[in-house]
Amino acid sequence: MSSASSVGSQSADRGETYVKAGTIVFGLGALATLVTFVPLFLHLTPLPSAAYWLSMLMPLGFLLALTGLLLSARAQRRRVRADA
């Protein structure tokens, strides 16, 4: 295995890790968003502000996943150039 393909493989693996982590963080943020809005719709006591801050995990997860996709695409492009 050449040096370029092993570097590309490591970058692709890193990109996949970012996508997986982003998916989990996004899911937690989506769950937190649902949990914080349910009391508002059912006219219950609203949750503390910290619960609303957990909703910010959703865009963070999206950003992580997007970063992982870009890293994977970049690594794939490097592998194609190295093979050519």
Side-chain angles (χ1 to χ4, degrees):
M1 184 179 282
S2 70
S3 173
S5 68
S6 67
V7 169
S9 175
Q10 289 172 352
S11 295
D13 292 342
R14 188 175 64 170
E16 289 175 18
T17 304
Y18 273 96
V19 170
K20 289 177 185 176
T23 303
I24 292 169
V25 172
F26 183 87
L28 290 173
L31 182 64
T33 301
L34 287 174
V35 168
T36 54
F37 278 107
V38 166
L40 297 176
F41 290 126
L42 297 178
H43 304 291
L44 301 172
T45 305
L47 295 174
S49 296
Y52 291 94
W53 282 103
L54 286 176
S55 298
M56 290 294 113
L57 290 175
M58 221 158 93
L60 178 65
F62 182 77
L63 182 64
L64 279 171
L66 184 61
T67 302
L69 287 173
L70 292 174
L71 286 173
S72 293
R74 197 171 175 197
Q76 183 179 7
R77 191 178 330 147
R78 284 185 189 148
R79 281 194 302 267
V80 168
R81 285 184 185 166
D83 290 342

